[in-house]
Amino acid sequence: FLFFVCYRALIFPLLIREGKPTPFFTFVLALLFCVFNGYLQGRSLTNYAIYPPGWLGDSRFIIGFLGWLIGMAINIHSDHILRNLRKPGETGYKIPRGGMFEYVSGANFFGEILEWFGFALACCTIESLAFALCTLFILGSRARQHHK
């Protein structure tokens, strides 16, 4: 969870070239969601989640961790493809090619959805499932808009 947050909050913004400005209200809503969700996930995992001995060897954890890892790799690779769609100064719409974009039009969204459902399976908490479902609904609607 922290690895993704560091990537998305620190590394990703430094890699982005010029783009459309983000409306302040959207920024504030995203910030509030991330702060609330980070607190909820951290509190849930450190204070309330109880795992049996050997949990890290349990198939739910292993499959969930692999789902998270594959989703993260798809997400990062898709971000790379999107960042490099246009040459400096170019404008206009371009269809991304390569990676998971060969299979789905919103590969970056697909990767992040897979990532958080893997996280939910690995953690097996209501809070992590709620986050995965929020991600599905929010990014799923964005993916649908991008596809159209």
Side-chain angles (χ1 to χ4, degrees):
F1 183 84
L2 291 176
F3 181 77
F4 174 81
V5 170
C6 288
Y7 166 73
R8 185 57 77 201
L10 303 174
I11 298 168
F12 179 76
L14 295 174
L15 297 173
I16 294 177
R17 296 181 191 162
E18 293 179 33
K20 297 178 197 170
T22 301
F24 184 72
F25 185 67
T26 303
F27 167 76
V28 170
L29 287 178
L31 178 67
L32 289 174
F33 176 82
C34 290
V35 167
F36 177 72
N37 183 55
Y39 172 77
L40 185 67
Q41 299 304 323
R43 180 113 175 141
S44 164
L45 292 172
T46 58
N47 291 354
Y48 302 109
I50 299 172
Y51 299 104
W55 177 250
L56 298 181
D58 187 280
S59 61
R60 291 169 292 181
F61 178 81
I62 293 169
I63 293 168
F65 178 74
L66 289 174
W68 176 84
L69 193 61
I70 292 167
M72 180 83 167
I74 291 169
N75 194 359
I76 290 172
H77 185 252
S78 300
D79 285 346
H80 172 75
I81 290 171
L82 291 171
R83 277 193 313 273
N84 293 295
L85 267 180
R86 293 177 203 83
K87 292 179 175 79
E90 253 186 340
T91 60
Y93 183 78
K94 284 196 169 183
I95 296 174
R97 300 279 185 221
M100 284 299 293
F101 285 108
E102 297 300 319
Y103 305 100
V104 293
S105 56
N108 51 328
F109 301 127
F110 170 76
E112 194 160 339
I113 291 166
L114 176 61
E115 195 174 339
W116 296 119
F117 272 94
F119 178 78
L121 182 59
C123 295
C124 284
T125 64
I126 288 292
E127 295 82 2
S128 59
L129 178 60
F131 179 39
L133 290 171
C134 282
T135 302
L136 174 64
F137 295 134
I138 293 167
L139 295 185
S141 69
R142 289 185 64 201
R144 186 172 174 208
Q145 288 171 336
H146 281 255
H147 182 75
K148 286 181 178 181

